[in-house]
Amino acid sequence: MTALDLSSPVAVVGTGTMGQGIAQVALVAGHPVRLYDAAPGLARKAADAIGSRLDRLVEKERLTADERDAARARLTPVDDLSGLAGCSLVVEAVVERLDVKQELFRALEDVVADDCLLATNTSSLSVTAIGGALRVPGRFVGLHFFNPAPLLPLVEVVSGFATDFGAATRAYETARAWGKTPVACADTPGFIVNRVARPFYAEAFAVYEAQAADPATVDAVLRESGGFRMGAFELTDLIGQDVNESVTHSVWQAFFQDVRFRPSLAQRRLVESGRLGRKTGHGWYDHREGAERPAPHTAEPAEPPAYVVAEGGLGPAAELLDLIREAGIEVREAEEDEGTRLVLPSGGQLVLADGQLAAEFADVVYFDLALDYRRATRIALSHAGHTSAKTVAQATGLFQALGKKVSVIGDVPGMIVARTVARIIDLAVEAVAQGVATEEDVDTAMRLGVNYPLGPFEWSRRLGRGWAGALLDEMHEVDPCGRYAPSLALYRYACATDQREDTP
């Protein structure tokens, strides 16, 4: 099954930002495009807006004037659904209401031929449920573009329960022919990206609700230690708190209120107050003109220890040992090569976040996971109230000697980056085990759809397949609400590796 021929007309129904973007993508790819909107006059306004964007592409030398003129000639606004007759693909981008979408597609079936592909750009509704209202549901598929559609490469090609393989394949190949990077997935709440990404927001909000760190500090740690493009608070301010919360609530409800997808009460209060982010001038941050952005918590300078004693290789943080030596600090090897910690001259221990609390131990400081300890510019530390001030100071001074800013946060299990990455890996492994998508497509979706520095399976290979499950096990021990209980899929994922390694 191949992509649609470029001579095949493509229709877009709904001419908001997303509809216009999808229409522009199809138009620039070379298709005749028809625009329809139920509101009178909006299709023509959308065509004018797309024409203006084509002008800007010429100015940026991404299109020639001849290509622009040809594209404009292929763009046709229509005033009635009947104007979409003869189209080979219709993509819907109207309001996120199941009844509205079902009614639209039922009406479209009376207009287009039975071999016309019908597609929804929904991000939160069930493709199966929308297509269930159709006379020919096999030709119905999800084509979930990301905003702005002309710029972002990812398209989730979603097969509903009744979608024919040939229809999904044609939609996939068409998206690829349009210059996009398609990933195939089954119809599941949130598809790939909006399902697997929930912990990125949820764990940041949970740390905030526990009063362990403020938004600016959490965001700084996610960026400067975790390697994420933006922190959770600033990203949701950009997306819109109402939009982000709506997706979270939709996924939570679709999974029968599974505690792992539970929405944040703090975000609910933000939405209720009308602080929706940049679009209203205030969200987690104040975006009004002249407002000063709060600085993350950064520890005052402290003296580094003269030496550290390494007990074990530090696991995922092993590269720290080389950095410590390069900073001129002596690394002594423990006689018994057990554990994964550093012992400081104070007698206290410096331990990579493992899901436990510092409060459980006599004198422990935890440090957070980093994407790359050499390149990280900030490291988070956490400790209990009874941890000795000398141990905290030496731990702080050690990372400062490595050229890192240090943010000291409250004593929360899994800290910030570690708990976030562990939960993302868990949801990704479960999605693959349930046949939602392949490991490769999940990684591609998370890198391209939300700009993660690594896909979940890339993280897992770097950290070790058993790492996420071990950390979540400890978090579940501390907080047995069910939110952090590792999935059965994650357990099997880790055990399969162990068994292969044990095979002679």
Side-chain angles (χ1 to χ4, degrees), residues 87-108:
C87 285
S88 298
L89 167 64
V90 180
V91 184
E92 163 272 315
V94 302
V95 64
E96 286 285 90
R97 279 181 46 187
L98 179 61
D99 59 336
V100 172
K101 293 180 187 289
Q102 288 178 329
E103 183 180 352
L104 168 65
F105 282 109
R106 278 195 294 261
L108 279 168

Side-chain angles (χ1 to χ4, degrees), residues 178-370:
W178 290 358
K180 297 300 180 182
T181 302
V183 292
C185 65
D187 185 22
T188 184
F191 310 141
I192 299 174
V193 172
N194 281 329
R195 173 177 176 162
V196 177
R198 292 349 293 162
F200 180 75
Y201 313 108
E203 295 313 310
F205 298 161
V207 169
Y208 168 78
E209 289 171 338
Q211 299 186 46
D214 60 276
T217 300
V218 173
D219 280 352
V221 172
L222 285 169
R223 288 194 315 270
E224 300 175 42
S225 183
F228 292 95
R229 183 76 59 87
M230 299 179 75
F233 295 93
E234 58 191 343
L235 180 54
T236 53
D237 265 2
L238 175 63
I239 294 168
Q241 298 303 329
D242 53 339
V243 174
N244 181 261
E245 192 211 27
S246 176
V247 173
T248 298
H249 194 271
S250 174
V251 172
W252 175 62
Q253 290 284 20
F255 277 112
F256 307 104
Q257 299 186 359
D258 186 330
V259 67
R260 295 176 302 162
F261 299 98
R262 184 178 60 207
S264 160
L265 181 59
Q267 188 179 40
R268 175 90 292 261
R269 293 291 177 259
L270 204 64
V271 172
E272 290 174 338
S273 71
R275 295 187 170 188
L276 307 182
R278 292 189 183 183
K279 61 186 176 184
T280 61
H282 209 305
W284 295 110
Y285 298 104
D286 188 344
H287 299 280
R288 293 171 294 186
E289 187 175 352
E292 188 174 340
R293 181 73 173 262
H297 173 270
T298 302
E300 294 295 324
E303 287 293 320
Y307 67 89
V308 295
V309 179
E311 293 187 353
L314 293 189
E319 64 185 322
L320 278 177
L321 296 177
D322 287 338
L323 297 180
I324 293 169
R325 293 186 182 97
E326 291 167 15
I329 298 171
E330 181 186 358
V331 177
R332 301 176 183 175
E333 303 290 343
E335 291 184 7
E336 295 184 5
D337 189 20
E338 295 182 359
T340 54
R341 63 185 67 88
L342 296 175
V343 179
L344 299 166
S346 66
Q349 297 179 355
L350 185 57
V351 183
L352 175 63
D354 58 8
Q356 300 182 86
L357 290 169
E360 300 176 57
F361 305 98
D363 195 17
V364 162
V365 171
Y366 275 109
F367 66 95
D368 208 351
L369 181 69

Side-chain angles (χ1 to χ4, degrees), residues 1-4 25 31 88-89 91 117-120 138-145 153-159 163-186 192 436-438 440-442 444-445 448:
M1 188 67 67
T2 58
L4 293 176
V25 170
H31 288 272
S88 298
L89 167 64
V91 184
L117 275 176
L118 297 179
T120 175
R139 43 85 170 269
F140 188 73
V141 67
L143 276 179
H144 181 215
F145 289 77
L154 185 69
V155 177
E156 292 177 315
V157 181
V158 186
S159 293
T163 303
D164 291 337
F165 176 77
T169 302
R170 173 154 284 186
Y172 184 99
E173 294 300 334
T174 297
R176 186 180 358 224
W178 290 358
K180 297 300 180 182
T181 302
V183 292
C185 65
I192 299 174
V436 173
T438 65
E440 181 181 3
D441 276 356
V442 169
T444 297
L448 299 184

